[in-house]
């Protein structure tokens, strides 16, 4: 088949690698220009550089325009494959190839359609995450499923861990899915839209800690915002404080959410939870922090005195 790829960052890079190693011909790559957005500087392997090194034509676009449409009409691809394309692809483009457009999304659709699915899934305590290859239709991440693979979420996994596990699924999933499509043996499974969830792009404010969340939820938020992602943060004495490592306390603590309370083990307990006043819930043990001038410290070195509030 003659294949065109739409993709960006490491997800698109891995997809293009798989296509280049397949028996199919990659005739065009459409990718985004580099961005300074905090989340787009992470996992930023260049799709454009990989395509160019293999002699594949590249178009740098923020969104598919008439130039892209015209070039696709000239090339007459059999299939478009998309992964981590950040803007809307109109029907006149995704329906142009005779086999349509295969989109690869890093969630177990229909759950976690949209943006940053691994981060949201970890925050929400999901037991597994994965990858879905599906045919593109009029609704974002809603088309019929060609292939899906899952992996378990470990008890101390970070989003960084889950990224590495799921990105390794891209090559086998893409290779198998396009071979099924080419051979005419793909079994398309419609998504159950009653189970669909859709999440927005993450911004820095989404990483701000709300101390009325339970310690278990806050522990997941910290792991979801692990390096190199922008860390979960709070404010102490009017200055932003990023939380690098944390865990759920062994003991139960009561009082007002956000209170810098007491040392436990190698960290400092912060009172947390919607009913913290009852003293029936654990707190969050902060173990390592990073200040706004980028100094990383053990929490026991940063919090020299107990007392005061984070908020």
């Amino acid at each position: 088949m003659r294949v065109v790829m739409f993709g960006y960052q490491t997800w698109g890079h891995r997809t293009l690698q798989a296509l280049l190693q397949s028996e199919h011909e990659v005739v065009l790559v459409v990718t985004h220009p580099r961005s300074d957005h905090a989340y787009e500087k992470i996992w930023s392997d260049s799709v454009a550089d990989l395509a160019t090194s293999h002699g594949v034509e590249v178009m740098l676009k923020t969104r598919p325009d008439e130039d892209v449409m015209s070039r696709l009409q000239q090339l007459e691809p059999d299939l478009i494959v998309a992964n981590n394309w950040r803007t809307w692809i109109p029907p006149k483009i995704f329906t142009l190839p005779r086999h349509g457009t295969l989109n690869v999304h890093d969630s177990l659709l229909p759950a976690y359609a949209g943006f940053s699915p691994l981060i949201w899934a970890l925050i929400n305590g999901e037991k597994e995450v994965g990858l879905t290859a599906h045919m593109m239709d009029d609704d974002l991440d809603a088309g019929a499923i060609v292939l899906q693979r899952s992996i378990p979420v470990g008890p101390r996994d970070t989003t960084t861990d889950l990224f590495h596990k799921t990105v390794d699924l891209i090559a086998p999933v893409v290779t198998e899915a396009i071979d099924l499509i080419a051979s005419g043996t793909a079994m398309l499974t419609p998504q159950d839209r009653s189970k669909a969830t859709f999440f927005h792009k993450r911004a820095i404010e989404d990483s701000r800690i709300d101390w009325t969340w339970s310690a278990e939820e806050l522990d997941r938020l910290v792991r979801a915002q692990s390096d190199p992602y922008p860390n979960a943060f709070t404010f102490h004495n009017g200055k932003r404080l990023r939380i690098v490592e944390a865990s759920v306390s062994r003991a139960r603590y009561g009082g007002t959410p956000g209170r810098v309370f007491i040392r436990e083990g190698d960290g400092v307990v912060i009172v947390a939870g919607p009913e913290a006043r009852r003293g029936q819930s654990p707190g969050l043990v902060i173990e390592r922090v990073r200040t706004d001038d980028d100094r990383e410290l053990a929490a026991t070195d940063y919090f020299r005195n107990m007392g005061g509030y984070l908020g």
Side-chain angles (χ1 to χ4, degrees):
M1 292 191 300
R2 291 166 58 79
V3 179
V4 169
M5 199 209 76
F6 283 65
Y8 187 48
Q9 294 176 279
T10 300
W11 295 269
H13 190 276
R14 289 292 188 95
T15 302
L16 180 56
Q17 281 181 324
L19 293 172
L20 291 168
Q21 292 168 6
S22 75
E23 63 183 21
H24 307 286
E25 180 187 7
V26 182
V27 295
L28 175 67
V29 166
V30 187
T31 188
H32 298 300
R34 290 187 181 275
S35 169
D36 287 331
H37 187 285
Y39 284 90
E40 293 187 15
K41 290 193 292 185
I42 303 168
W43 317 127
S44 56
D45 292 306
S46 174
V47 171
D49 289 352
L50 178 61
T52 300
S53 70
H54 283 79
V56 178
E57 179 184 351
V58 176
M59 299 184 80
L60 290 175
K61 297 290 182 179
T62 55
R63 54 182 40 81
D65 57 17
E66 289 304 317
D67 289 342
V68 173
M69 182 67 185
S70 175
R71 189 69 182 117
L72 289 172
Q73 290 171 331
Q74 294 168 3
L75 291 169
E76 297 183 339
D78 298 302
L79 179 72
I80 291 173
V81 178
N83 193 350
N84 198 42
W85 180 259
R86 310 294 284 179
T87 58
W88 182 60
I89 299 177
K92 66 180 181 180
I93 287 182
F94 72 68
T95 61
L96 185 149
R98 66 188 182 96
H99 289 302
T101 295
L102 179 77
N103 185 55
V104 182
H105 183 71
D106 52 343
S107 85
L108 298 174
L109 293 174
Y112 295 95
F115 300 89
S116 304
L118 293 179
I119 294 176
W120 290 114
L122 183 52
I123 289 171
N124 291 330
E126 300 294 348
K127 301 301 183 187
E128 61 178 7
V129 294
L131 207 67
T132 302
H134 69 97
M135 302 310 300
M136 191 173 287
D137 66 9
D138 289 340
D139 296 316
L140 187 60
D141 297 332
I145 294 170
V146 178
L147 200 64
Q148 195 167 68
R149 295 288 182 267
S150 64
I151 58 166
V153 177
R156 299 306 299 166
D157 272 347
T158 66
T159 299
T160 304
D161 297 325
L162 298 179
F163 163 79
H164 288 297
K165 293 176 184 178
T166 55
V167 81
D168 285 344
L169 295 175
I170 290 175
V173 165
V174 167
T175 301
E176 184 175 349
I178 61 175
D179 286 349
L180 289 170
I181 291 168
S183 67
T185 58
M187 301 291 290
L188 303 184
T189 304
Q191 294 188 39
D192 182 350
R193 303 309 296 157
S194 69
K195 297 179 180 178
T197 55
F198 187 86
F199 287 81
H200 63 72
K201 287 183 180 180
R202 288 189 68 80
I204 296 300
E205 188 63 21
D206 297 313
S207 302
R208 183 171 180 165
I209 290 173
D210 178 348
W211 292 104
T212 65
W213 285 21
S214 71
E216 292 85 358
E217 290 169 324
L218 292 177
D219 169 51
R220 294 197 300 268
L221 175 63
V222 170
R223 287 188 284 117
Q225 296 292 156
S226 60
D227 290 343
Y229 295 95
N231 302 126
F233 69 93
T234 187
F235 285 89
H236 183 235
N237 294 332
K239 295 182 180 180
R240 187 170 66 167
L241 184 67
R242 288 175 282 172
I243 311 304
V244 178
E245 292 180 14
S247 59
V248 178
S249 70
R250 297 188 300 272
R252 292 178 292 182
Y253 297 95
T256 301
R259 175 75 172 189
V260 181
F261 190 13
I262 194 172
R263 291 190 179 194
E264 183 183 283
D266 294 328
V268 174
V269 175
I270 312 300
V271 177
E275 295 193 335
R277 68 188 185 280
R278 300 185 185 279
Q280 297 301 306
S281 303
L284 185 73
V285 180
I286 296 179
E287 290 145 356
R288 296 198 68 79
V289 300
R290 187 174 289 135
T291 59
D292 249 0
D293 59 2
D294 217 32
R295 290 184 305 129
E296 185 173 320
L297 302 165
T300 51
D301 291 332
Y302 177 83
F303 294 105
R304 293 293 187 175
N305 300 301
M306 300 299 102
Y309 293 86
L310 303 179

